[in-house]
Amino acid sequence: MAERTQFLFTGAHMLPAVMVAMNGSAAGVAVLTYLALLALALLSALSDEKTPAQIPVRIDSEEERDIRRKR
């Protein structure tokens, strides 16, 4: 998971808690903030996912080579 996504997930959980702790009447805004940050974090996590074109493929050759000679 990218650092950006981890930051958003942490912020989605911490910021509303701090908002409610500072002012109990801000619970409605805290819930909306939580949902917005959570949706943004989920979208960020989806963009972090590797597509099959980005995953390196190892092609084995028939000849055996010493591990030190492989690049």
Side-chain angles (χ1 to χ4, degrees):
M1 184 181 316
E3 290 179 14
R4 173 188 67 226
T5 305
Q6 188 174 5
F7 174 77
L8 289 171
F9 273 118
T10 303
H13 292 89
M14 289 303 298
L15 183 61
V18 170
M19 290 171 68
V20 170
M22 296 300 260
N23 185 3
S25 62
V29 176
V31 169
L32 292 176
T33 303
Y34 173 74
L35 293 175
L37 286 173
L38 190 61
L40 188 61
L42 289 173
L43 288 174
S44 178
L46 287 175
S47 69
D48 290 344
E49 187 176 309
K50 288 188 176 188
T51 60
Q54 295 174 332
I55 299 173
V57 177
R58 180 179 175 196
I59 300 172
D60 293 329
S61 63
E62 291 183 20
E63 61 186 41
E64 295 286 330
R65 287 191 276 172
D66 189 46
I67 192 71
R68 286 172 268 155
R69 294 182 61 202
K70 289 186 180 179
R71 293 180 189 216

